[in-house]
Amino acid sequence: MWRIWLALAISAVMMLAAPAVHAQTARSTSDRIAVEVSADGPPVPGEVWTVALHFTPRSSQWHGYWSNPGDAGLGMELDWTLPQGWVVNEALYPVPKQLLIGGLMNHVYEGPYTVLVPVRVPADAAVANPPPIGLTARYLACTDKICVPQQARLTLDPANATAEPRMAEWRAAIVPPLGSAASFEFAGTRLRIGIPLPAASDLGDVHFFLGTSEVGQAQQAVYSGVQTFIREGDLLVVEYPLKDIVVPDTVELAFLPRPDRIEGILALGPDRGVRIVAAPGNVPLEGIKPFRGADSAPPPLMLLLLGALAGGLLLNIMPCVFPILSLKALSLAKAGGDERGARRDALAYTAGVVLACTALGALLLLLRSAGEQVGWAFQLQEPRVVVALLLLAVAITANFLGLFQVPGIAISGGKPSATSSFATGLLAAFVATPCTGPFMAVALGAALIIPPLDGLLVFAVLGLGLALPFLLIGFVPALRRLLPRPGPWMERFRRWMALPMGLTALALAWLLWRIGGVTFVVVVLALTVTMLGMLAQFGRAQRAGTGRSVVSGLAVLAVAAIALIAMPQPRPLAASAQDSLLAPEPFSEAALASARTSGRPVFVWFTADWCVTCKVNESVAIERETTRAAFAKADVKILRGDWTRRDPEIATFLARQGAAGVPLYVWYPPGGEARQLPQVLTPDLLAELAQSVAARGTAQ
């Protein structure tokens, strides 16, 4: 018993003696990140007294957090016990660092760091013998795997406070305020902040840390999103990504409350930055060009052009383009030895392909600049476009089978012409858009963030790559001589080419069933049968040589156009996990964040029913019993993003990954960084990834 009383007596003596010796005491529930308190000397009445909280991690594995921790973590909370009339101002921090863990952006401090807290002392304060100041600090200490809440109770005796010798060093690390007023405005799903910064300012690894964690009830910050930096003279504009929050239909977005100011830190490089306070205002962008569109600069333009050229060239062997290539094969074979006609034919086809790719790229860039979350092949997310493609595929199939002819068009059995080759090029480029082959992902992803004219050039070179084989055949006689000579076989070949076009029509009908269900497909098929009947009547009028053929042809076009305009939009059908052998969960940012914190490996795949490459990958590598068994053994969490219909959340994630479209496959090993997988999967790739995780788990 006497030992207990002795221990209590010793503890009481130490507690009483500590303030007299050190002017401070600290008692923490954990020592992962220790904290000590000090001041810049004794307080002076009527002036600001600076209190310093110095944090020291136990090892390099632990990190603390900025006031806005980002996607995860916890900002520091301070509870003060002060003499009457003393006021604590906002805490001042050094420049934080970015730490991306599992797709979540954290704003952290690695290594020792100091937070300064200004305390305003009243002019009539009795500083000769004030009561001790009490402080409880609650903060979070984390590694890349675990987080531990910390709590420290600190006291500081103002009367005995001495000047901290490290205070000058700590003040130098605090981010200084910007001397000029900044402004901000909302532009679609972007927060635009205009910062007056001299043109001569040295901009290093620039990044904006948003201090206002919620910028309105309608929108929230995406901390890990791509920030775009735009500069013109003494103005620096930051476009910060936001995501929409679902609001009731009865609420108008314009009337939702907006913040009266935006705060944050503009980091200009390691340990350099300025503190920003922005008020609502106009942020002009006319004539200003972006110089940064991602966390790292995009690849050089020449490298992007080479990637686009190679990607377009490889599209010629992708399954989604083959039916259209069969049309061009007929045209080239009919050119025979006519060298002049072959060159004219090749140039017209190339012009059609390049024009279509450039026009699609321009429309894509225009929609994105207006705030729309769209990507490559966005037009196939519209049911009316798919219906139009189905009607076109059925009409071409009927033409191949001889049901009707189109005068002057090579696919109809007549002589090749520049008009038919140009139209074939337009069609080839339009139907090729569901495919995203190798080399295309980086090029098209970068084309969305580089200056618009450079982006259009990337899309044009993609079209040139798609047309390149036929351009070479038209201008290289040796290649043209390898083609078979024209003859009676061409008519049989034309009829055989109805098979791939018919299969394309069936695939489009299946896609419409996936988009709108059985009722919608029945309506479209009724329209298709009506169109076929009118085309048959058109063909009979052609063969009879009557003047009614022109009227019949115009009637077919009029009925198809009216039907497309009047057709109601189908309701989107939710993707079911039962559709897949792997039984994935639907993708969302929240689901991904939850999966990443579970400690399990995560596989995320983005697909669309109109993406032929996606379906081939699923058949070859994903929807396999071997993959399912390997994933089950490794306890892999599986998420699937279905982009068949427009989904802004998926579009935002694709953009953040630098992808212009689907397919996209991302693998998250436990506790590791994301790994983007190839767009063309090998049969055993996914199983091997899961087996490697299972093997490491067994070894541990």
Side-chain angles (χ1 to χ4, degrees):
M1 187 68 179
W2 64 271
R3 291 188 178 91
I4 297 177
W5 287 108
L6 179 61
L8 291 174
I10 294 173
S11 299
V13 171
M14 293 179 64
M15 292 178 65
L16 291 172
V21 176
H22 302 289
Q24 64 204 32
T25 62
R27 180 157 48 92
S28 175
T29 59
S30 176
D31 62 348
R32 271 77 174 183
I33 300 182
V35 58
E36 58 180 304
V37 62
S38 59
D40 60 352
V44 177
E47 296 187 6
V48 175
W49 183 48
T50 301
V51 176
L53 299 175
H54 184 64
F55 296 86
T56 306
R58 183 174 64 182
S59 69
S60 60
Q61 295 180 346
W62 296 95
H63 59 259
Y65 287 91
W66 184 46
S67 57
N68 178 10
D71 289 322
L74 186 67
M76 180 175 61
E77 296 180 359
L78 301 176
D79 291 334
W80 294 85
T81 302
L82 295 167
Q84 186 175 2
W86 295 39
V87 179
V88 175
N89 291 341
E90 184 179 355
L92 305 176
Y93 289 79
V95 179
K97 296 181 180 179
Q98 305 170 62
L99 179 61
L100 190 64
I101 301 178
L104 301 178
M105 178 61 72
N106 300 267
H107 305 153
V108 305
Y109 297 103
E110 298 172 329
Y113 64 99
T114 304
V115 178
L116 301 185
V117 183
V119 178
R120 185 167 296 279
V121 182
D124 58 351
V127 297
N129 190 26
I133 290 177
L135 170 62
T136 300
R138 299 179 184 89
Y139 52 100
L140 201 61
C142 293
T143 69
D144 59 352
K145 295 182 175 62
I146 64 170
C147 286
V148 181
Q150 307 280 278
Q151 178 173 289
R153 294 188 179 92
L154 309 167
T155 60
L156 181 62
D157 186 356
N160 295 318
T162 57
E164 167 61 54
R166 297 169 291 180
M167 187 64 74
E169 175 188 349
W170 294 344
R171 286 187 191 276
I174 297 300
V175 182
L178 180 69
S180 305
S183 58
F184 74 90
E185 67 176 350
F186 292 95
T189 56
R190 311 286 289 181
L191 168 63
R192 188 177 293 163
I193 307 171
I195 303 172
L197 203 66
S201 300
D202 180 22
L203 299 181
D205 187 11
V206 63
H207 183 83
F208 186 74
F209 292 92
L210 182 64
T212 308
S213 59
E214 187 148 333
V215 297
Q217 292 185 8
Q219 294 171 309
Q220 285 182 333
V222 180
Y223 299 110
S224 57
V226 176
Q227 299 182 11
T228 302
F229 292 87
I230 306 165
R231 194 170 193 180
E232 179 71 14
D234 293 333
L235 178 67
L236 176 68
V237 177
V238 182
E239 283 201 333
Y240 203 98
L242 305 170
K243 67 177 180 180
D244 291 331
I245 296 179
V246 177
V247 296
D249 294 337
T250 56
V251 178
E252 292 189 28
L253 197 63
F255 292 100
L256 289 172
R258 297 293 195 188
D260 56 4
R261 70 176 191 172
I262 296 292
E263 298 182 1
I265 291 178
L266 177 65
L268 303 175
D271 304 322
R272 288 196 312 119
V274 289
R275 195 163 70 249
I276 306 298
V277 177
N282 181 44
V283 182
L285 280 181
E286 291 74 18
I288 304 178
K289 299 180 179 180
F291 70 91
R292 275 282 307 279
D295 292 334
S296 59
L301 179 60
M302 185 55 64
L303 187 60
L304 294 178
L305 295 179
L306 290 175
L309 185 68
L313 186 62
L314 289 175
L315 278 180
N316 286 280
I317 60 174
M318 301 297 282
C320 51
V321 188
F322 174 75
I324 306 304
L325 297 187
S326 65
L327 309 184
K328 191 59 192 166
L330 280 175
S331 177
L332 288 170
K334 290 182 178 182
D338 183 2
E339 183 172 340
R340 183 178 178 183
R343 291 182 176 180
R344 180 195 60 192
D345 194 41
L347 287 174
Y349 174 80
T350 301
V353 173
V354 172
L355 178 62
C357 287
T358 306
L360 286 172
L363 182 58
L364 175 59
L365 293 174
L366 184 63
L367 290 174
R368 288 180 68 89
S369 67
E372 296 289 335
Q373 294 295 333
V374 294
W376 185 245
F378 66 94
Q379 71 277 9
L380 295 175
Q381 296 174 325
E382 297 297 330
R384 287 190 179 91
V385 175
V386 181
V387 172
L389 281 174
L390 171 62
L391 297 178
L392 182 60
V394 170
I396 293 175
T397 303
N399 175 265
F400 278 8
L401 292 174
L403 189 65
F404 71 98
Q405 302 293 327
V406 182
I409 301 298
I411 63 175
S412 299
K415 292 183 178 181
S417 67
T419 303
S420 68
S421 297
F422 180 79
T424 304
L426 292 174
L427 187 60
F430 189 71
V431 177
T433 53
C435 291
T436 306
F439 304 107
M440 285 180 59
V442 174
L444 296 185
L448 303 180
I449 60 174
I450 60 179
L453 290 180
D454 292 344
L456 286 179
L457 184 59
V458 171
F459 286 108
V461 172
L462 173 69
L464 179 62
L466 178 59
L468 188 58
F470 299 109
L471 190 64
L472 292 175
I473 290 174
F475 280 83
V476 180
L479 294 177
R480 203 163 54 252
R481 284 194 292 268
L482 297 176
L483 295 175
R485 294 182 178 181
W489 66 270
M490 295 182 62
E491 183 62 27
R492 294 191 298 271
F493 179 74
R494 183 169 71 94
R495 294 183 181 276
W496 273 108
M497 286 300 99
L499 179 60
M501 286 308 303
L503 293 175
T504 301
L506 288 177
L508 290 168
W510 172 84
L511 174 57
L512 289 173
W513 168 69
R514 296 282 296 178
I515 289 176
V518 176
T519 303
F520 185 68
V521 171
V522 169
V523 173
V524 174
L525 290 181
L527 172 62
T528 304
V529 171
T530 302
M531 186 193 70
L532 279 175
M534 297 182 70
L535 287 175
Q537 181 65 30
F538 174 51
R540 282 195 293 269
Q542 281 184 321
R543 290 186 290 273
T546 65
R548 296 175 56 188
S549 61
V550 176
V551 177
S552 299
L554 293 176
V556 172
L557 295 176
V559 169
I562 293 172
L564 287 174
I565 294 173
M567 182 173 295
Q569 287 279 73
R571 292 184 177 181
L573 300 179
S576 172
Q578 304 301 322
D579 297 339
S580 170
L581 182 66
L582 303 184
E585 294 183 10
F587 168 83
S588 68
E589 293 279 7
L592 178 59
S594 176
R596 290 292 292 132
T597 58
S598 67
R600 300 164 57 185
V602 182
F603 173 62
V604 185
W605 101 75
F606 296 90
T607 182
D609 288 334
W610 39 259
C611 173
V612 179
T613 308
C614 302
K615 296 307 172 185
V616 171
N617 281 335
E618 288 162 19
S619 174
V620 170
I622 299 177
E623 303 288 355
R624 300 178 67 223
E625 183 60 36
T626 304
T627 303
R628 188 201 64 78
F631 276 18
K633 185 175 181 180
D635 195 23
V636 177
K637 183 75 172 180
I638 308 167
L639 302 175
R640 177 178 63 184
D642 188 348
W643 210 35
T644 302
R645 297 292 296 271
R646 295 177 64 177
D647 187 320
E649 189 169 23
I650 292 178
T652 300
F653 186 87
L654 292 175
R656 208 158 62 227
Q657 296 291 324
V662 292
L664 176 67
Y665 309 103
V666 186
W667 174 261
Y668 297 88
E673 295 301 322
R675 173 185 170 187
Q676 200 171 120
L677 304 181
Q679 288 190 312
V680 178
L681 300 177
T682 57
D684 299 324
L685 175 61
L686 297 177
E688 290 172 354
L689 288 172
Q691 289 165 2
S692 65
V693 172
R696 285 197 298 269
T698 303
Q700 295 174 355

